[in-house]
C-alpha cells in the first residue's frame, strides 16, 4: 500500500532538493505535486486541498534552520501535517468499566467483518483478555460457519444459532452464554448488505440501542478508496459508530481512505487489516503510517533533532535578552510566531525552565493576526524601542495595520505585560501561582 503516493512524493522532494531556500514559488510547485499525489491516491478533493493549503502556509512561515535543507524541512512539515490528518495518535479500544465489554462489528458485505471479528478475538486473547464471539449475521447461512471455523482456529468460544431470523433474541442469548462463561469481551459479528441501505442502518441502530455496545466498529474495505469514505458517512449518520477498521491495506489499496476518513468524519481509525489470516491485524498508528507514506523516517528524526536544538538556542537567546532587559517587540512577535507555529503554547513554555507543567493553552488566532499586523506596521526603531511610539505614531500604525488606536494601545500594554511575565515567570512559579493568569493573550482551550 501507499507505494504510488510514496513514489510521487519522492519525485517532488527530488525536484525541491536543488533549491537553496524554501521560497513561495518553489513551495507552491512542491505543494501542487503533493496535492496531485494525494488525489491520485484517491483522497477526497476538498481534504487534499485543505491539507496542502495548510502545508503551504506553514512552509512559507517556517524559520530557516542553518543545518537543515529546504527539502528536509519540507518533508518534516509534510510529515507533521500527515500525522495530524491521520488523527495524531493511536486511539486504543475502550473497555466497559463493568464487564462484559461489547464490541459490535458493522460494515458492508465483503468488507471484512467476520475476518476482523476473529482477528480482534485473537488480539484480545493475546492481551490476556477472555473474548467471546457471537455470529449475528442471520441472512447468510455460511456466515456463522465461517466465523465458527475462524473461532476454532484462534481458540475462542463462539455462540451461534442456525435458522433463526430473530437477531436481537440471538444476541441476547449469546450475551447470556458469554456471561455464564465469565467472558470479558463480547464481539458481535453483524450482517451487512451490498450497499448501505436504510433498512440495514435502521436494524444496526436498533441493535446498538438494545445492547449499548462499548464500541461500534465499522469495517471498511480500503481497496474501495473514496467509496469507503462515502460508506462511512452513510453509516455514521444513523449508527453510533465509534471507530473504523480499515481492511485489506495489504492489497493494492492506494491509501486514499486511510488519509481521508478522519477529516471526513472526525472518527478514528483503530486498526488496519493487512492480510486474511487472524494475526494480520495492527493498531493504527498515525505517525508510523505517515512516515511509511513519506518513506523518509531518517530525515524526519534528523529535522526533529535540529529543530529541538534550534529551539533550545532560541530559548537561551531569549533568556539572555530578558536578563539584560533587552526584550523588544520583535522578540515578542517572534515568540508569538513560534507559539503559533507549534500550535500550542505549552511546547514553547516547556523550553523555559519552570513552565513545563503548563498545559492546554492556546493562542487566539485572530488576536495573533492583529498583533502581527500591528508590529509589522512599525518601523524597526519603534519595534526595538517602543517608548518612542507617541500618539501620532500610534494613529499611523493603526492605519497601516488596519486596526484601531485602541488595539495598538492594547498591544503595547500587552508587550509590557509579556515582558514582565517572562521576566517573572520563575518567581510566579516558585510561589506556586499559576502563570496562566498573568497574561490575557493566553486563554484556555
Ligand atoms: N487481503 C486481505 N483480505 C481480507 C482482509 N480482511 C478480510 N479479507 C478477505 O475479504 C473477504 C471478505 O471478508 P469477510 O470477513 O468474510 O467479510 P464480511 O462479509 O464483512 O464478513 C474474505 O475473503 C477475507 O479473507 C485483509 O485485511 N486483507
Ligand atoms: Mg461476514
Amino acid at each position: 500500500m501507499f507505494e504510488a503516493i510514496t513514489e510521487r512524493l519522492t519525485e517532488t522532494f527530488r525536484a525541491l532538493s536543488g533549491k537553496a531556500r524554501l521560497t513561495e514559488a518553489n513551495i507552491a510547485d512542491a505543494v501542487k505535486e503533493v496535492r496531485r499525489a494525494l488525489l491520485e491516491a484517491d483522497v477526497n478533493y476538498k481534504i487534499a486541498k485543505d491539507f496542502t493549503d495548510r502545508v503551504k502556509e506553514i512552509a512559507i512561515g517556517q524559520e530557516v534552520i542553518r543545518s537543515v535543507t529546504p527539502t528536509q524541512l519540507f518533508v518534516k512539515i509534510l510529515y507533521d501535517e500527515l500525522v495530524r490528518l491521520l488523527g495524531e495518535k493511536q486511539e486504543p479500544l475502550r473497555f466497559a468499566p463493568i464487564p462484559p465489554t461489547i464490541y459490535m462489528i458493522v460494515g458492508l458485505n465483503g468488507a471484512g467483518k467476520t475476518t476482523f471479528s476473529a482477528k480482534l478475538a485473537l488480539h484480545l486473547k493475546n492481551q490476556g483478555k477472555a473474548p467471546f464471539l457471537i455470529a449475528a449475521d442471520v441472512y447468510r447461512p455460511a456466515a456463522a460457519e465461517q466465523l465458527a471455523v475462524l473461532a476454532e482456529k484462534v481458540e475462542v468460544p463462539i455462540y451461534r444459532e442456525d435458522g433463526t431470523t430473530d437477531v436481537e433474541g440471538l444476541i441476547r442469548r449469546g450475551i447470556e452464554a458469554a456471561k455464564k462463561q465469565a467472558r470479558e469481551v463480547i464481539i458481535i459479528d453483524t450482517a451487512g448488505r451490498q450497499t448501505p441501505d436504510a433498512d440495514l442502518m435502521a436494524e444496526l441502530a436498533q441493535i446498538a440501542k438494545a445492547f449499548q455496545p462499548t464500541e461500534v466498529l465499522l469495517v471498511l474495505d480500503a481497496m474501495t478508496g473514496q467509496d469507503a469514505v462515502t460508506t462511512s458517512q452513510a453509516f455514521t449518520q444513523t449508527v453510533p459508530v465509534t471507530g473504523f477498521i480499515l481492511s485489506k491495506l495489504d492489497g493494492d489499496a492506494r491509501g486514499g481512505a486511510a488519509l481521508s476518513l478522519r477529516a471526513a468524519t472526525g472518527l478514528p481509525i483503530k486498526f488496519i487489516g493487512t492480510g486474511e489470516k487472524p494475526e494480520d491485524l495492527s493498531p493504527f498508528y498515525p505517525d508510523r503510517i505517515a512516515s511509511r507514506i513519506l518513506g523518509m523516517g531518517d530525515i524526519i528524526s534528523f529535522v526533529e533533532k535540529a529543530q529541538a536544538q534550534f529551539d533550545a538556542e532560541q530559548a537561551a537567546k531569549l533568556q539572555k535578552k530578558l536578563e539584560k532587559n533587552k526584550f523588544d517587540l520583535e522578540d515578542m512577535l517572534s515568540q508569538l510566531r513560534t507559539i503559533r507555529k507549534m500550535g500550542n503554547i505549552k511546547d514553547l513554555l516547556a523550553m523555559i525552565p519552570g513552565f513545563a507543567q503548563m498545559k492546554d493553552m492556546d493562542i487566539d488566532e485572530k488576536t495573533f493576526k492583529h498583533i502581527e499586523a500591528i508590529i509589522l506596521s512599525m518601523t524597526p526603531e519603534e519595534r526595538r524601542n517602543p517608548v518612542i511610539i507617541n500618539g501620532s505614531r500610534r494613529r499611523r500604525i493603526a492605519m497601516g495595520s488596519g486596526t484601531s488606536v485602541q488595539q495598538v494601545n492594547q498591544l503595547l500594554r500587552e508587550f509590557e505585560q509579556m515582558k514582565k511575565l517572562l521576566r517573572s515567570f520563575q518567581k510566579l512559579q516558585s510561589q506556586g501561582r499559576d502563570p496562566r493568569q498573568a497574561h490575557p493573550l493566553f486563554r484556555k482551550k
Side-chain angles (χ1 to χ4, degrees):
M1 73 169 143
F2 301 126
E3 282 89 5
I5 187 169
T6 303
E7 216 164 277
R8 254 218 173 271
L9 290 174
T10 311
E11 281 300 311
T12 307
F13 301 147
R14 199 168 296 140
L16 203 57
S17 69
K19 308 287 191 285
R21 282 183 332 111
L22 282 183
T23 63
E24 295 225 19
N26 57 38
I27 288 170
D29 286 345
V31 160
K32 218 186 284 165
E33 286 303 312
V34 171
R35 187 176 306 177
R36 192 174 301 165
L38 292 173
L39 293 175
E40 279 175 11
D42 211 13
V43 173
N44 165 278
Y45 179 80
K46 170 95 175 29
I47 293 171
K49 184 175 183 305
D50 289 351
F51 176 81
T52 46
D53 284 351
R54 262 192 71 83
V55 168
K56 189 169 165 183
E57 191 187 322
I58 294 168
I60 288 170
Q62 196 76 19
E63 269 174 281
V64 185
I65 302 176
R66 241 173 299 119
S67 57
V68 175
T69 71
T71 320
Q72 290 167 334
L73 195 55
F74 191 73
V75 169
K76 176 62 167 51
I77 295 168
L78 259 189
Y79 169 78
D80 288 344
E81 288 308 304
L82 271 177
V83 173
R84 192 199 289 259
L85 182 69
L86 291 166
E88 217 88 63
K89 59 183 196 320
Q90 209 279 316
E91 299 264 359
L93 284 173
R94 276 174 288 160
F95 291 92
I98 303 160
T101 292
I102 299 177
Y103 298 139
M104 180 175 159
I105 316 303
V106 302
L108 296 181
N109 280 345
K113 293 181 296 299
T114 303
T115 310
F116 170 69
S117 298
K119 286 177 176 178
L120 183 59
L122 176 65
H123 174 82
L124 292 164
K125 202 179 133 192
N126 288 341
Q127 293 190 333
K129 299 240 161 28
F132 185 88
L133 289 158
I134 296 179
D137 183 349
V138 293
Y139 302 113
R140 294 187 295 177
E145 189 53 36
Q146 184 195 354
L147 188 65
V149 170
L150 289 167
E152 192 175 354
K153 212 184 243 171
V154 299
E155 298 179 329
V156 169
I158 177 177
Y159 183 83
R160 61 187 281 198
E161 285 178 16
D162 292 325
T164 183
T165 48
D166 169 21
V167 189
E168 278 190 44
L170 184 155
I171 294 172
R172 189 163 298 114
R173 291 183 287 276
I175 292 174
E176 281 315 309
K179 282 183 179 163
K180 251 187 223 138
Q181 298 173 45
R183 307 302 289 183
E184 302 169 278
V185 188
I186 300 168
I187 301 164
I188 308 173
D189 179 23
T190 68
R193 294 279 197 286
Q194 278 330 108
T195 52
D197 61 66
D199 281 355
L200 173 66
M201 298 307 157
E203 185 180 312
L204 294 172
Q206 175 54 36
I207 296 175
K209 200 169 152 225
F211 298 102
Q212 298 289 314
T214 320
E215 298 242 23
V216 177
L217 301 170
L218 172 60
V219 182
L220 295 162
D221 180 341
M223 310 259 280
T224 61
Q226 285 200 45
D227 280 350
V229 180
T230 314
T231 303
S232 74
Q233 285 163 335
F235 271 82
T236 52
Q237 269 167 26
T238 319
V239 184
V241 173
T242 55
F244 304 121
I245 313 305
L246 216 45
S247 69
K248 307 181 201 180
L249 263 174
D250 51 312
D252 52 5
R254 287 173 293 172
L259 290 163
S260 312
L261 272 172
R262 183 70 189 230
T265 65
L267 290 170
I269 300 172
K270 297 217 164 176
F271 287 95
I272 54 175
T274 54
E276 298 188 64
K277 293 195 296 298
E279 57 273 24
D280 296 331
L281 182 75
S282 14
F284 181 80
Y285 289 101
D287 51 348
R288 291 186 205 168
I289 298 285
S291 78
R292 188 134 114 211
I293 290 172
L294 292 172
M296 310 214 159
D298 44 344
I299 291 188
I300 292 155
S301 53
F302 167 73
V303 178
E304 269 166 7
K305 278 190 203 113
Q307 279 177 335
Q309 192 187 341
F310 178 79
D311 290 343
E313 283 165 14
Q314 293 299 102
K317 257 187 221 159
L318 171 67
Q319 195 98 28
K320 236 190 213 118
K321 278 202 152 177
L322 285 168
E323 276 160 21
K324 292 188 184 154
N325 203 8
K326 284 247 171 68
F327 185 78
D328 62 22
L329 282 161
E330 271 176 3
D331 298 318
M332 178 182 186
L333 185 58
S334 111
Q335 286 309 304
L336 292 173
R337 277 181 171 154
T338 310
I339 293 166
R340 188 158 157 275
K341 183 183 78 192
M342 290 175 159
N344 196 319
I345 185 176
K346 76 166 190 271
D347 298 332
L348 169 82
L349 293 170
M351 301 183 309
I352 306 172
F355 258 69
Q357 53 271 71
M358 289 179 60
K359 287 197 174 76
D360 305 327
M361 297 198 332
D362 206 355
I363 182 163
D364 184 275
E365 181 69 20
K366 219 162 72 198
T367 313
F368 173 79
K369 287 269 182 229
H370 284 151
I371 295 171
E372 188 175 42
I374 292 169
I375 297 180
L376 291 178
S377 295
M378 295 174 183
T379 64
E381 199 202 350
E382 286 166 343
R383 283 178 222 159
R384 274 190 296 273
N385 191 16
V387 291
I388 64 172
I389 305 176
N390 59 23
S392 72
R393 284 184 183 213
R394 284 175 197 218
R395 266 195 301 283
R396 194 207 69 235
I397 292 165
M399 292 260 280
S401 58
T403 59
S404 65
V405 175
Q406 285 90 323
Q407 281 171 303
V408 176
N409 288 340
Q410 193 191 341
L411 168 77
L412 290 171
R413 270 198 310 273
E414 280 172 352
F415 164 69
E416 286 304 326
Q417 275 180 323
M418 185 169 186
K419 201 158 94 170
K420 239 191 337 216
L421 168 75
L422 286 167
R423 279 173 62 83
S424 63
F425 70 88
Q426 271 168 318
K427 211 161 115 198
L428 275 167
Q429 200 67 36
S430 67
Q431 291 167 352
R433 282 159 64 195
D434 186 352
R436 247 176 297 197
Q437 310 311 323
H439 204 285
L441 266 182
F442 305 134
R443 61 175 171 79
K444 270 188 172 175
K445 243 189 210 161

